[in-house]
Structure formats: structure tokens, C-alpha cells
Amino acid sequence: AQTVTQSQPEMSVQEAETVTLSCTYDTSENNYYLFWYKQPPSRQMILVIRQEAYKQQNATENRFSVNFQKAAKSFSLKISDSQLGDTAMYFCAFMKRTGTASKLTFGTGTRLQVTL
Amino acid sequence: NAGVTQTPKFQVLKTGQSMTLQCAQDMNHEYMSWYRQDPGMGLRLIHYSVGAGITDQGEVPNGYNVSRSTTEDFPLRLLSAAPSQTSVYFCASSYSQRGGRDTQYFGPGTRLTVL
């Protein structure tokens, strides 16, 4: 079974600064996807970024980028130029790519507070 | 497109009552799923469906039933609510689990309290 670990329950960053959220996972699979989802106080789960395991290049989406280290099973999220609207719970998630269910396995989340 | 919609947004039940949480998507997605989110935990898969007429159990299926009669709708039924089912419920959908289009998109959630 896959497990996803987010070791930072809470983090804080000042506006315009850069912050990195950590995520490690455990799997014996070779083909899989990794995701970061954002959950603001509105409770909506919003996709931030996705990474295919077979791609060596790290995914980027505007101010969000990942550092994907497949051998180390590490998938960290870097938020540059942090904004107040980035305040949210962030979940790392793993999904294996097989013929069976696309089951997302989530970490327990990191609560990020962006301050003035 | 409205995306993934869920109703109701909030619901309070008494122990033993039954109810159905509604989920609909207008993106013609094949795959739909239900998750629950409890404090201090990530989301856990309850049931999923890979297409109309096909459903299967996820990680925590006990106490819940599903059916998929159309591509658009995937209701979740609580047959006899228990306090342990107090949670936030999310519905999600994606095109398919194959073909590289299996990013899941989530509805806004339903907060359910069972007294």
C-alpha cells in the first residue's frame, strides 16, 4: 500500500517570501502521479500542480514549482512570492497509474499561513 | 461548465436516519469517486465508479452505498447514519484512469453532522 507523509503540520511565511512544503511517499510502483492540492477556508479542493513520475523535469505552474526526487521518493512544493491568498491547507497526494481505480492517497496536510 | 457540484452543502442527521448526498458533473467524465475528510487526516476513498453501471469499494466503504445510472450523477447513500460518519464528503471526477487525463477535480464538499 502507498503512504504519503507530510511532516510539517503548520508553516508560516511572510508575504513575497518563498516557502517549501515537504512530502515523502512510499511505493513499489514505477508509474504514478503526484499532486499538490490546496484547500482554502472555503473547503474547496483545488489542484495546484501535478507531476508524472516518468518525467524527470520538475513541473511548474506560475509561482508554484516542485522538486521531484524519484529515487528519494520526495515531492516538495515551492511557493515563490507568497501571497495572502495562498493561505490554505496543502495536501500532497499519490496516484498510481494502473488498470484499477485511480485511488488518490493523501497526506495529512500542511497548514500554511501567509502573513504581512 | 459548472464542473462538479454537490448538494446539500450542510446536513444534520440523527443517528439511524438515512439520506443521499448528491454529486453531478457536466464534463462527461468517466470516473467518479467519493471521499471523506476527517480532522487531522487526508481524504479517504469511500466508493468509486469507472462508468455508468460500474461501481466498486474504496478504502472505507462500510455504511455507504452508491450507484451510477448515468455518466453525470453519482449519489452516495447513508443507509443508517452513525456519529462516526460525521465528516466532510467530497465528490471527484476525472476523464479516465488511463491516457494521462486522470487528474481528479473535486466538488465543494458536504459537511455532514450525525447527532
Side-chain angles (χ1 to χ4, degrees), chain A residues 35-73:
Chain A
F35 302 86
W36 279 97
Y37 281 91
K38 167 185 176 181
Q39 187 178 41
S42 67
R43 207 175 60 210
Q44 178 79 47
M45 292 288 287
I46 301 166
L47 177 68
V48 175
I49 200 165
R50 124 194 189 134
Q51 174 82 40
E52 289 90 341
Y54 65 88
K55 289 187 177 179
Q56 291 188 342
Q57 186 174 7
N58 289 327
T60 62
E61 286 289 342
N62 301 316
R63 298 182 294 109
F64 299 88
S65 61
V66 298
N67 183 6
F68 174 47
Q69 302 288 331
K70 190 173 184 179
K73 298 180 182 176

Side-chain angles (χ1 to χ4, degrees), chain A residues 33 37 39 44 50 101-102, chain B residues 37 97 100 102-104 106:
Chain A
Y33 291 126
Y37 281 91
Q39 187 178 41
Q44 178 79 47
R50 124 194 189 134
S102 296
Chain B
Q37 182 182 26
Q97 67 259 40
D102 38 14
T103 296
Q104 293 190 30
F106 287 81

Side-chain angles (χ1 to χ4, degrees), chain A residues 33 35 37 39 42-45 47 50 52 91 95-109, chain B residues 9-10 31 35 37 40 42-43 45 48 59 88 90 97-100 102-104 106-111:
Chain A
Y33 291 126
F35 302 86
Y37 281 91
Q39 187 178 41
S42 67
R43 207 175 60 210
Q44 178 79 47
M45 292 288 287
L47 177 68
R50 124 194 189 134
E52 289 90 341
F91 290 97
M95 184 170 71
K96 65 178 181 179
R97 188 181 177 186
T98 67
T100 57
S102 296
K103 175 180 176 291
L104 280 171
T105 301
F106 285 85
T108 53
Chain B
K9 286 189 168 54
F10 302 93
Y31 183 85
Y35 293 85
Q37 182 182 26
L43 280 68
L45 182 66
Y48 65 94
E59 185 182 356
V88 179
F90 288 95
Q97 67 259 40
R98 298 193 180 91
D102 38 14
T103 296
Q104 293 190 30
F106 287 81
T110 294
R111 181 178 291 279

